[in-house]
Amino acid sequence: MRHGVPELVLELNGRSWTLDPSRSYTLGRDPGSDLAVDDARVSWRHATVAWDGRGWAIEDHGSTNGTYAEGRRVQRVELGPGSALRLGNATDGPLLTLASAARPVATAGAAQEPAAQASAYQAPAAQAPAYQAPAAQQQVPEQQQAPVRQQPAQGGGPVPRQQDGQPAPGDRSPTTFHQVALGRVMRIGRALENELVVSDLQVSRLHAQFTATPDGRFEIHDLGSHNGTYVNGERIPKSGTASIGQGDVVGVGHSAFRLVGDRLEEFVDTGEVSFSARHLTVTVDGGKQILKDVSFGVPEKSLVGVIGPSGSGKSTLLKALTGYRPADQGDVLYDNRNLYKQFAELRQRIGLVPQDDILHKELSVKRALKYAAKLRFPGDTAEAERAARIDEVLRELKLDLHKDKKVSSLSGGQRKRVSVALELLTKPSLIFLDEPTSGLDPGMDRDVMQLLRGLADDGRTVLVVTHSVAELAICDKLLVMAPGGAVAYFGPPGEALNFFGYTTWADVFSAFENYRDYDWAGRWRGSQHYQLYAADLDAVAPQDVRMPSVRQARPPKPQTWGAQLMTLMRRYVSVIASDRGFLALMVVLPAVLGIVSLVIPADFGLGAPDSHHAFNSDAGTITLILAVGMCFSGAANSVRELIKERVIYERERATGLSRSAYLMSKVIVLGVITAIQGGIICGIGFSTRPMPVRGLIMPPAVEICLAIISLGLTSMMVGLVISSLVKTAEKTMPLLVMFAIVQVVFTGILFRVYGTLGLEQFAWLMPARWGVAAAGTTLDLSHLMPPFDKDDPADLDPLWAHTASQWATDVGVQLLLAAVCVFVVARLLRRHEPEVMRK
């Protein structure tokens, strides 16, 4: 001990430590912490206690629920004998006290008070037997295990009801209580000046306001929150007011408040929630069932594996469980609340990691997470708050060493960690993963599964769909799907092979294939395992919950439309700027197309011939090359942009992304790029060509350039239509080539298009027809090119009329075609969204 440094004894959870000033002490939920606190309200790495040269101090590391001194949240505070702090909650969080080492260390009786207070929050978990890992279960006789497995917390027993019939927020005890006085107004929000502080980045700084009116009524008023305020699962209008009665539940972020008598009971979703599927059935066109009466219950804080052969409905089940594609029959219960009916509120508590990466590989890890946090957190979240949360997730997943690396440079396992990190930003209690180990070697397979095991141990429920069977033993429960979408087994993975009567999973899958007509579901329902793990779920009839309106079911947008647009544009520009190959192609392609147009010899350029020549036939050919080159360049810019981001869009749309903001970010950024390319093509193509003397409205070079750019913009929109139609990126190139060839044919330069019934009307749908026509009005191609009808020199194309009104019409029609394409793309994007998000 240093000379002159006062010795302090820190007491926490009934334990005592004499502090050594030569070192610091980490405090948190991490079992490896110096001062480990097993309380869900305490962050993984919550704070540090250290001697700073002048005195002892505790510094909070941006913990989620905060550190409190005398009821106030603090970031850093000096400590001394008699100091007392609360962790995670100002009222009943774990109590940390300090005493002088000169006085006797607290006795067992004296230490019981902080220990009891610290463990009060964990009382609900102590009410039910703890879930045991499969290895431990196998060491206990089956008849002794059965009572444990039949507990409601593990199988999902009867749904508790409130006085009005609404599902209660689980069967957990309240986190804390708040006394209600008549006439009192209590604000709820993230800011410390609120009466009810909710330390959750999903909550706005000033989120809602609870009022107990003098006449005995109770109201909740939304203060313009970003993620909405919910009463019994239904969102009240933004800045609206709703009356609440006894037993009603008000949802704010990850917290819920229930009115009981003269107090508000607060429930904080810390991950200790039940999750179950009951009688899920999905029927497609033709009456074929691809998911048949699936029921299972997921224990809290557990890892559940889902396996099965192709055609067993695993992907359909995942969509049904997450609400992406609700089942036609049955219920999905999150903490005894119907997910389908309360999707708008509960969707932010569920994370989904698809098989493909849900981030832009061109960005660095930290930048990718930065943009994701910007889109997912409320608009009033400070940059420092988002950065702190990102750093916390990076440390938790051991990605802090790779934060400045490009995602594309990471290994497959590390990329999957980054995808998981993106989902952990919003602190979901339930995480779904679809084939996270696909394409990984056995070592990375094990690393990813151990990562998921750690997430479950840290207080989350994790469900993973996988084809890999090498690491199934690490799971708590295993769900095996049979061909046709029925449950063939649900229970501990260590008992699964014995249940099927085979020694390897290869034999089990072969049996599924060889005996596809066998009643695997019937065998399961007639087994003892079914009685142990699923019978109680099937015994409960589906809930009869009123379906909310489409407006109520649709999740709100975390930010305004304009804020989302700006974030998406900045992210898109960052992605493009990080791809040097695309940047080079963006400049080289129009330059090459412009140079190609110079190869065509033309004594008179794009102008009129002298008095010794009747026509300038090369003017039409040069215009054709410039126009078709712009068509190809514009469409090539966009033809892959939507298909390559489809998985990212699907996930972000479910978190509240605006479809129109996403589409307009593409249109604006790609539109600017296409306009620059149009300028490059025209600049090179016009550089050595004589131009007409006068234009119709502006200088002729400007008029032709605008006509070519508008053609490029319309072609770019056609490219987005192609990108939204195809299922794979490989199919875009053949369609791009076909589009360019068709444009060449219908320009009206190669042969006569006008005046031919059917052909002329079809050509009106071609952007190149109107682009060439707009350039042709400036050039007066009707008189510059030789007539198609040699017998009638006055035979003129009406779209090439040398008038300002015709030029404006030709350009206007191109922009109209582009607008139609915008509408078509918006409609096509709906196919890749959760059903509840489709307008």
Side-chain angles (χ1 to χ4, degrees):
M1 185 68 63
R2 295 179 184 176
H3 180 70
V5 176
E7 295 186 2
L8 286 182
V9 175
L10 184 149
E11 300 176 2
L12 176 65
N13 282 0
R15 298 181 59 191
S16 301
W17 293 264
T18 300
L19 301 182
D20 181 357
S22 64
R23 54 162 299 189
S24 60
Y25 296 83
T26 59
L27 187 156
R29 207 169 68 252
D30 184 355
S33 299
D34 299 312
L35 311 176
V37 186
D38 187 15
D39 190 299
R41 294 168 295 180
V42 177
S43 294
W44 189 255
R45 295 177 179 84
H46 194 99
T48 298
V49 178
W51 174 264
D52 62 4
R54 298 186 305 272
W56 290 97
I58 184 171
E59 182 173 358
D60 190 289
H61 293 315
S63 62
T64 301
N65 294 322
T67 302
Y68 298 87
E70 298 180 351
R72 295 181 297 103
R73 185 167 182 170
V74 295
Q75 179 67 28
R76 187 181 185 280
V77 65
E78 295 184 358
L79 303 175
S83 296
L85 298 98
R86 292 280 184 180
L87 307 176
N89 188 282
T91 304
D92 61 355
L95 178 64
L96 182 153
T97 61
L98 291 106
S100 172
R103 77 174 196 182
V105 176
T107 64
Q112 287 176 356
E113 180 183 355
Q117 292 171 333
S119 62
Y121 177 73
Q122 299 174 350
Q127 295 171 0
Y131 180 76
Q132 300 180 17
Q137 289 175 341
Q138 294 177 12
Q139 299 171 5
V140 182
E142 187 171 282
Q143 61 269 22
Q144 297 179 15
Q145 295 179 27
V148 177
R149 291 164 177 161
Q150 291 175 339
Q151 291 294 333
Q154 301 193 16
V159 181
R161 295 280 174 173
Q162 297 171 193
Q163 298 174 7
D164 62 349
Q166 288 294 332
D171 52 1
R172 296 170 287 116
S173 297
T175 306
T176 188
F177 306 94
H178 306 279
Q179 202 66 31
V180 176
L182 295 181
R184 184 183 180 188
V185 175
M186 293 188 293
R187 290 181 304 173
I188 305 171
R190 199 174 73 249
L192 297 180
E193 59 262 29
N194 292 282
E195 286 75 17
L196 302 179
V197 178
V198 180
S199 301
D200 181 358
L201 290 184
Q202 294 291 330
V203 176
S204 298
R205 293 185 59 81
L206 302 176
H207 195 102
Q209 182 172 283
F210 178 83
T211 304
T213 60
D215 58 1
R217 293 184 298 107
F218 300 94
E219 294 180 341
I220 186 72
H221 176 66
D222 185 87
L223 299 177
S225 65
H226 296 273
N227 280 327
T229 304
Y230 301 83
V231 176
N232 297 326
E234 292 192 7
R235 179 163 54 99
I236 64 176
K238 193 170 187 177
S239 301
T241 302
S243 298
I244 59 175
Q246 292 294 317
D248 284 343
V249 178
V250 176
V252 176
H254 286 72
S255 297
F257 299 87
R258 182 171 61 183
L259 180 64
V260 178
D262 61 349
R263 68 181 185 181
L264 278 178
E265 298 180 343
E266 181 179 358
F267 299 82
V268 179
D269 186 347
T270 57
E272 297 179 351
V273 296
S274 61
F275 182 80
S276 61
R278 303 186 180 184
H279 307 286
L280 296 184
T281 300
V282 175
T283 306
V284 295
D285 296 339
K288 180 182 178 181
Q289 289 185 342
I290 56 178
L291 210 61
K292 297 180 181 178
D293 198 20
V294 174
S295 297
F296 64 94
V298 179
E300 62 184 37
K301 297 192 297 184
S302 62
L303 174 61
V304 179
V306 180
I307 64 172
S310 298
S312 59
K314 298 188 300 297
S315 297
T316 303
L317 175 63
L318 193 63
K319 292 179 181 179
L321 295 176
T322 57
Y324 267 49
R325 199 287 187 192
D328 300 309
Q329 300 176 29
D331 300 305
V332 175
L333 301 184
Y334 175 96
D335 203 18
N336 294 321
R337 303 170 66 186
N338 193 296
L339 175 64
Y340 297 160
K341 279 70 176 180
Q342 302 183 24
F343 180 78
E345 178 184 357
L346 298 179
R347 51 96 190 179
Q348 58 190 339
R349 308 187 191 185
I350 296 176
L352 173 62
V353 181
Q355 180 175 349
D356 298 324
D357 294 328
I358 51 176
L359 33 79
H360 294 85
K361 298 179 181 179
E362 299 85 357
L363 300 178
S364 67
V365 171
K366 190 166 186 177
R367 184 176 287 270
L369 295 179
K370 173 184 175 182
Y371 286 118
K374 184 79 172 176
L375 290 171
R376 297 193 181 194
F377 289 140
D380 62 358
T381 307
E383 182 72 26
E385 293 177 296
R386 292 194 298 268
R389 179 57 188 155
I390 291 172
D391 290 339
E392 184 179 356
V393 171
L394 289 174
R395 288 194 301 269
E396 181 179 354
L397 296 182
K398 296 179 175 59
L399 286 170
D400 43 345
L401 297 178
H402 307 287
K403 63 182 180 181
D404 296 322
K405 296 180 182 178
K406 280 190 176 183
V407 176
S408 58
S409 67
L410 302 178
S411 65
Q414 290 171 340
R415 285 202 303 271
K416 193 58 62 178
R417 281 178 178 266
V418 178
S419 294
V420 173
L422 189 151
E423 290 301 311
L424 291 185
L425 288 175
T426 55
K427 296 189 176 181
S429 302
L430 183 63
I431 303 177
F432 294 91
L433 299 100
D434 186 11
E435 299 287 353
T437 61
S438 178
L440 302 183
D441 60 51
M444 290 185 178
D445 182 352
R446 180 177 58 189
D447 291 343
V448 171
M449 292 300 292
Q450 288 178 344
L451 165 67
L452 303 184
R453 177 71 267 173
L455 294 178
D457 293 339
D458 193 31
R460 306 175 183 91
T461 299
V462 182
L463 189 146
V464 53
V465 176
T466 179
H467 278 299
S468 175
V469 297
E471 302 295 331
L472 292 180
I474 206 172
C475 299
D476 296 307
K477 289 291 178 66
L478 179 65
L479 174 66
V480 182
M481 301 294 293
V487 176
Y489 173 82
F490 179 72
E495 301 175 16
L497 288 176
N498 289 335
F499 171 82
F500 288 108
Y502 293 98
T503 58
T504 67
W505 283 108
D507 294 332
V508 176
F509 279 44
S510 295
F512 283 149
E513 181 64 29
N514 296 332
Y515 305 102
R516 299 187 71 88
D517 296 332
Y518 182 76
D519 187 8
W520 296 100
R523 180 176 183 270
W524 156 246
R525 292 181 184 275
S527 68
Q528 183 182 9
H529 285 77
Y530 170 78
Q531 297 298 326
L532 293 174
Y533 305 117
D536 57 335
L537 292 173
D538 278 350
V540 180
Q543 296 184 56
D544 182 18
V545 181
R546 179 176 60 87
M547 196 70 173
S549 65
V550 175
R551 184 190 66 82
Q552 291 286 352
R554 186 178 304 124
K557 298 177 178 62
Q559 304 87 22
T560 63
W561 187 90
Q564 286 193 357
L565 176 64
M566 294 304 297
T567 300
L568 290 166
M569 288 175 58
R570 284 196 294 267
R571 183 178 70 177
Y572 194 22
V573 170
S574 297
V575 170
I576 293 175
S578 300
D579 190 346
R580 296 182 180 180
F582 181 80
L583 284 175
L585 183 63
M586 183 180 67
V587 176
V588 171
L589 179 61
V592 170
L593 295 173
I595 293 172
V596 167
S597 68
L598 297 179
V599 176
I600 303 173
D603 296 336
F604 310 105
L606 291 171
D610 56 26
S611 58
H612 300 291
H613 295 80
F615 303 105
N616 181 6
S617 58
D618 292 327
T621 305
I622 297 171
T623 304
L624 173 66
I625 296 299
L626 293 175
V628 173
M630 191 70 256
C631 280
F632 183 83
S633 184
N637 289 336
S638 60
V639 76
R640 296 172 61 93
E641 292 307 300
L642 297 183
I643 181 61
K644 75 178 184 180
E645 291 186 358
R646 181 162 296 174
V647 176
I648 298 175
Y649 173 74
E650 289 176 0
R651 183 66 192 120
E652 291 183 343
R653 180 68 171 140
T655 63
L657 178 69
S658 168
R659 181 195 310 140
S660 58
Y662 175 79
L663 179 55
M664 288 309 300
S665 70
K666 298 292 184 185
V667 172
I668 293 174
V669 174
L670 290 175
V672 171
I673 293 174
T674 302
I676 294 174
Q677 290 178 327
I680 294 174
I681 290 178
C682 293
I684 297 176
F686 298 164
S687 60
T688 61
R689 309 288 189 187
M691 301 296 293
V693 178
R694 289 186 300 273
L696 299 170
I697 304 174
M698 296 167 280
V702 176
E703 286 184 1
I704 299 174
C705 187
L706 289 178
I708 296 298
I709 289 176
S710 63
L711 174 58
L713 295 176
T714 307
S715 300
M716 178 203 74
M717 289 308 310
V718 173
L720 287 180
V721 172
I722 295 174
S723 189
S724 61
L725 277 172
V726 298
K727 294 183 178 180
T728 61
E730 289 74 16
K731 295 180 180 179
T732 58
M733 288 301 104
L735 292 176
L736 174 61
V737 174
M738 182 182 70
F739 168 74
I741 293 175
V742 170
Q743 300 311 301
V744 174
V745 174
F746 290 98
T747 56
I749 295 291
L750 299 180
F751 61 94
R752 175 175 171 170
V753 173
Y754 63 92
T756 304
L757 185 62
L759 183 64
E760 180 179 13
Q761 286 70 34
F762 182 76
W764 291 345
L765 301 176
M766 301 296 111
R769 170 70 171 141
W770 298 98
V772 169
T777 57
T778 299
L779 297 173
D780 194 12
L781 282 182
S782 294
H783 296 96
L784 198 62
M785 287 179 58
F788 290 111
D789 188 348
K790 304 299 182 181
D791 299 327
D792 185 7
D795 184 34
L796 305 176
D797 190 327
L799 300 187
W800 295 357
H802 190 57
T803 64
S805 60
Q806 186 60 50
W807 182 89
T809 299
D810 293 339
V811 173
V813 171
Q814 290 186 82
L815 299 180
L816 177 62
L817 289 175
V820 171
C821 288
V822 171
F823 176 78
V824 171
V825 173
R827 299 295 294 180
L828 291 173
L829 283 175
R830 294 175 66 250
R831 302 179 306 162
H832 310 293
E833 300 173 357
E835 289 191 3
V836 73
M837 301 295 295
R838 300 176 185 175
K839 299 181 181 179

